[in-house]
Every structure is written in C-alpha cells, then in structure tokens.
Amino acid sequence: MSGLLDASSLMTAFFSESGFGASFNQPFVGPFRSLGSLGCPENSRWGFLLSLMRCRPYSVTKYSSQVARSVLRDAVARGGFDCIWFEQTQSAFAALAEGLLRPGRREAVVLRPHNVESEVIRRIEAGSMLGGQYFLALESLFLRKYEKRLYNQVDLIAPISDEDLDAIHSLSKPHLAKMVLLPVMGGGSESFRCQSASERRNILFVGDC
C-alpha cells in the first residue's frame, strides 16, 4: 500500500494508451486516453420501487447498468493497469456488481467517496413526508450494506472530509491504514504541485457519475 499513498506517483501517473476515444494532455498528470462513458442513468420511480422490492438499493441498480458494467469489464480486460481509481462511490457500484473487486485481482483499487451515500439518503429521509420516509429508509438500509461491502473490498479509501472518514470507519470498521483523508483541491496551482516520480504508473480512472 505504500505505493498508493505516494501522492507524487499518483499525480504524475498516465493512462494506458490502449482502448478508444480521444487522447488528452493534462498538466501534472501526463497523456491519457478515454476508454468510453459509463452512461448517464436517469431516475425512474418504477425502477426505484422494483429495486427495493428486490432488496437492492436503487443507487446500486441505477449506476450498475449493463452499459456501465460492459464498459468497465472491457476496460479491465485490456489490462496493463497498476491501479483502478474510482472517483465517487457510485462509479464503483458497477465494478462491485460485475465482480471486478474480488480478492486475488492484480490491480490495487482506490475509492475516493465524495459522500457517504447512505447518510445522504438518511438526511433526505428526515425531511420527507411519511410515505416517502418509509421507502427512503429502506434505500438507506440496503445502501449501507452495499457500501460496507464496497469499503471492505477496496485497498484504499480516500474520503474528502473528516466527517466522511469517521462515518466510513464507523460503518465498516476498515483498518485505519487503508484510509487517508484527501480533500478536494483548491484552484491555486500550488495545490497541484508534486515531485517528479521515479517511475510512472498506469491508472484506470473511473470518473464522477
């Protein structure tokens, strides 16, 4: 895990040139290539109810579409990655559903949650009408179980706030060695400066959903 905690190695990493899509060039990151989109899921009331009837949180069902799972499966199958980085919890649900986070994988997996999603749903539940509270309570309950599975299967969790770090640790009790606070960086260029890395790593970055 020491390599994952080395910010300079992560910030100067470059994406594999295999795959398809446009190539880009970012300062402090290096060349990378898009491997496609996971799609833009839309909310559905019927989908929400059907998912809960199956004891599955709609947040997982919605973001684990066949398109998303197929794109992720094909990207991982190409290989050549040292690390898979999920930016936000939703983007990792498709990998969890596809079985890409099972033990024995070669790639290290980093999750950078921007929220504890079950806590977000719980706060919405508190301000909802009685009927809505029931369904949102189920969503939050089921979602906590999936979040716990996800937290336990990744190699490094990098929440953006102390509150989220405490909530995640309370929920899944991961070893503190696999957790690191990584706040959202500011707009100043100083926030992005890093030392030169001794070697470059290939990272599959699965962005914000």
Side-chain angles (χ1 to χ4, degrees):
M1 293 305 299
S2 59
L4 289 177
L5 297 176
D6 182 355
S8 63
S9 293
L10 289 174
M11 290 299 293
T12 56
F14 64 95
F15 284 86
S16 171
E17 287 298 319
S18 63
F20 59 91
S23 293
F24 306 90
N25 217 8
Q26 290 284 89
F28 307 113
V29 176
F32 65 91
R33 178 179 293 273
S34 169
L35 296 182
S37 170
L38 298 185
C40 299
E42 297 182 1
N43 286 323
S44 164
R45 292 181 180 178
W46 283 112
F48 177 76
L49 293 175
L50 286 173
S51 187
L52 294 184
M53 289 173 62
R54 296 166 181 160
C55 298
R56 193 180 194 210
Y58 183 56
S59 301
V60 173
T61 300
K62 182 172 66 171
Y63 289 101
S64 302
S65 67
Q66 289 299 323
V67 172
R69 293 169 62 171
S70 176
V71 170
L72 266 180
R73 182 176 62 248
D74 292 346
V76 173
R78 287 185 175 91
F81 301 111
D82 300 294
C83 172
I84 304 176
W85 181 298
F86 292 99
E87 189 76 8
Q88 293 214 26
T89 306
Q90 294 97 327
S91 64
F93 283 145
L96 184 67
E98 190 61 24
L100 299 177
L101 304 182
R102 293 192 182 101
R105 60 180 180 270
R106 188 186 66 82
E107 307 89 356
V109 176
V110 175
L111 172 66
R112 188 173 183 239
H114 289 205
N115 291 292
V116 179
E117 300 303 325
S118 57
E119 289 296 308
V120 173
I121 299 297
R122 191 175 62 81
R123 289 195 293 269
I124 297 173
E125 171 199 340
S128 300
M129 297 180 64
L130 186 60
Q133 285 182 346
Y134 173 76
F135 293 109
L136 289 172
L138 286 177
E139 173 73 7
S140 180
L141 175 65
F142 296 152
L143 189 51
R144 283 173 64 88
K145 295 179 180 179
Y146 273 79
E147 284 179 320
K148 184 175 181 178
R149 285 177 53 196
L150 182 60
Y151 297 150
N152 288 332
Q153 290 189 31
V154 301
D155 299 299
L156 179 69
I157 307 170
I160 64 173
S161 71
D162 288 311
E163 293 79 11
D164 286 349
L165 190 150
D166 292 340
I168 292 170
H169 189 255
S170 175
L171 176 63
S172 61
K173 299 292 188 295
H175 197 286
L176 287 176
K178 70 181 285 186
M179 298 187 71
V180 58
L181 183 65
L182 188 59
V184 175
M185 293 182 178
S189 59
E190 291 294 328
S191 302
F192 294 90
R193 293 186 183 276
C194 59
Q195 299 178 353
S196 298
S198 58
E199 62 177 316
R200 300 180 75 85
R201 306 287 181 88
N202 293 336
I203 299 179
L204 174 61
F205 182 88
V206 186
D208 179 8
C209 289

